[in-house]
Amino acid sequence: MSLSPHTTPSGFRLPSIHAAPPFFTQQPNPATQAVATEQWSRLILSYAKHRNLFTIKVEDAQTTGGDWDEILRNDRINRKLNTSYLAYILEQMERSCRLAFDPPKQSISAVLYWRTPEEWAEVLHEWATSTGQLNTILTFYEIIEPPVPSPLSGVPMSILRRAINLLIKSNRAQLIAVADGEGVRFLNGSTSK
C-alpha cells in the first residue's frame, strides 16, 4: 500500500502518515517519537474539530465502532493504536496545553482544546453579541444547548467556565446567581488585557 492521503466516510482527510504501520507504534528513538506525537496531536485535534468532538478517553483506542475509529485504527493496513500509546499521546498533549484531563487528577478521560480557551472566549462573546445577548442573563445550559445550533452547542462545561472566566478578566462578562445555579451576563467591555 502506498503512503497517500485517504478520505474517511465522515469526509475527514487523513494524512499520508496514517497509512504507515510504524505510526501506530510507540517509537524507541526520542526524536522520532517526538515527531510522531506532534503528528498524532494535530491529527486528534483536527479530527475532533471536524467531528465536533470534545472528549477522548484512553479506552477509545479499543472501542470498535466509536467516534474515534476513523483515526485510531486503519483497517486498510490492519493497524490500530493501543491504549498505552494513546495514554502517552494524551499525557504529552496535556503537557502542551492541548487538552485537560477531566475530571482532574486522572489521565484516562480528557477534554480537547481544538480551540484554546482564549479562542472559545472570543467565540462566546461574538455569539452573545451577534445574537443580541449583551446585558441579558443566560444560564450555562442556555449557552451550551441553545434552541438554534451555534458554535457553542455541546461545549463541555469546563471549557465554558474557562471561557467565561477569561471574559470576566477582560470586563466582558460577569457571573450572576440564578435560580438554577449560575448564569452569566455578557458585557460590551474592553478587550484589553
Side-chain angles (χ1 to χ4, degrees), residues 2 15 21 24 31 44 50 80 113 128 138 151 153 158 170 180 187:
S2 66
F24 290 84
I44 288 169
H50 169 77
K80 67 179 180 179
Y113 293 150
L138 297 168
S153 296
S158 60
S170 65
D180 296 342
L187 310 167

Side-chain angles (χ1 to χ4, degrees), residues 119-153:
E119 290 170 333
W120 278 114
E122 293 308 314
V123 168
L124 179 56
H125 197 267
E126 287 171 20
W127 170 81
T129 303
S130 68
T131 59
Q133 303 294 337
L134 291 181
N135 295 310
T136 302
I137 298 172
L138 297 168
T139 64
F140 289 5
Y141 178 80
E142 290 173 308
I143 296 169
I144 61 176
E145 297 293 336
V148 176
S150 81
L152 298 156
S153 296

Side-chain angles (χ1 to χ4, degrees), residues 5-146:
H6 176 74
T7 302
T8 67
S10 73
F12 183 75
R13 189 160 172 84
L14 292 167
S16 57
I17 190 71
H18 196 265
F23 187 54
F24 290 84
T25 307
Q26 199 161 354
Q27 299 299 306
N29 180 299
T32 304
Q33 183 55 57
V35 170
T37 300
E38 177 60 26
Q39 290 173 328
W40 269 113
S41 298
R42 282 185 285 163
L43 178 59
I44 288 169
L45 292 174
S46 61
Y47 184 75
K49 185 174 184 177
H50 169 77
R51 295 276 316 274
N52 205 37
L53 300 173
F54 292 101
T55 59
I56 189 168
K57 296 178 181 178
V58 171
E59 67 192 42
D60 288 329
Q62 298 301 312
T63 305
T64 303
D67 288 335
W68 293 95
D69 257 8
E70 289 184 332
I71 66 164
L72 298 183
R73 64 181 64 238
N74 186 337
D75 293 332
R76 295 175 299 125
I77 59 171
N78 196 28
R79 291 287 191 269
K80 67 179 180 179
L81 208 61
N82 67 38
T83 54
S84 63
Y85 190 19
L86 180 56
Y88 171 82
I89 292 166
L90 297 182
E91 287 171 13
Q92 299 307 308
M93 290 177 71
E94 195 262 345
R95 285 191 179 123
S96 61
C97 301
R98 294 177 173 174
L99 63 77
F101 289 113
D102 190 33
K105 298 183 182 177
Q106 54 82 35
S107 57
I108 295 172
S109 177
V111 172
L112 296 163
Y113 293 150
W114 42 268
R115 283 190 175 128
T116 65
E118 294 79 10
E119 290 170 333
W120 278 114
E122 293 308 314
V123 168
L124 179 56
H125 197 267
E126 287 171 20
W127 170 81
T129 303
S130 68
T131 59
Q133 303 294 337
L134 291 181
N135 295 310
T136 302
I137 298 172
L138 297 168
T139 64
F140 289 5
Y141 178 80
E142 290 173 308
I143 296 169
I144 61 176
E145 297 293 336

